[in-house]
Each structure stands twice: as structure tokens, then as C-alpha cells.
Amino acid sequence: MFQEESLKHHSNYKIGGRARHFFTFYTIPEAIEAATQAKKIGKPIFILGGGTNILFGDKGWDGVVLKNEIGTFEIHDTQLRVGGGVLIKRILEASI
């Protein structure tokens, strides 16, 4: 399930070492399964969004990085319902 992954590909600053365990999830059930597996191997979990406000260290991380790519985007009258993987730019454009 998990793979090793360079974190520099997941940050706007394009810096950072490797995550020992990395998984991208697209649904809530996938996130739950990944968190369950991380708990079984006894590793700490970090949930990553768009990577716009984070700096990763060059030494990497031995825990589990779960990349949120839930892209749900629904408009109902004056309400938006969006997944955690939707970029703020898209939300702002829809709101305007």
C-alpha cells in the first residue's frame, strides 16, 4: 500500500527529502484504510493537503504521509461542498 516518495514533488517550494511511507487517497474509505495500516506498522501519520504552506526537511520522514486528493466539488444554491483535496483557487473562482 505505501511507497517511498520524494516530498519535494508535493510542496510548492520543491524542497524536501523522502517519505518512507507515502499514500495518496481519493476517497474517505481509502483514507481510513491507509490510517489503519499506518497504525498497524506503528508509524506516525501526517495528512498532506496541497503543499502550499509547508516546508519539508531534507532528511525526509520515517512516518506515513497521507496525501489528500479528495476532489469532491458540489454547488447547492449558495453552498459549496468540497473535498479536502480541492485547491482554494477553484473554491474562490466558484464563489465569485
Side-chain angles (χ1 to χ4, degrees):
M1 167 175 264
F2 301 119
Q3 63 186 26
E4 191 170 314
E5 175 79 18
S6 175
L7 293 172
K8 71 181 181 181
H9 302 298
H10 301 281
S11 166
N12 279 6
Y13 301 103
K14 304 300 181 206
I15 61 172
R18 300 184 74 75
R20 173 82 190 245
H21 309 281
F22 187 94
F23 180 76
T24 301
F25 63 90
Y26 299 91
T27 65
I28 292 173
E30 286 178 342
I32 292 168
E33 176 63 24
T36 301
Q37 293 301 319
K39 186 174 181 179
K40 284 181 182 178
I41 62 173
K43 299 290 183 180
I45 299 170
F46 176 76
I47 299 177
L48 175 62
T52 59
N53 62 348
I54 191 162
L55 297 171
F56 295 114
D58 289 336
K59 292 183 179 180
W61 197 56
D62 189 42
V64 177
V65 175
L66 301 179
K67 173 82 166 105
N68 184 350
E69 288 287 346
I70 297 177
T72 307
F73 192 93
E74 300 170 357
I75 300 174
H76 300 283
D77 296 321
T78 59
Q79 295 182 351
L80 296 176
R81 182 179 180 144
V82 298
V86 177
L87 296 177
I88 192 71
K89 179 182 177 186
R90 183 166 181 214
I91 297 169
L92 291 173
E93 288 171 349
S95 297
I96 292 171

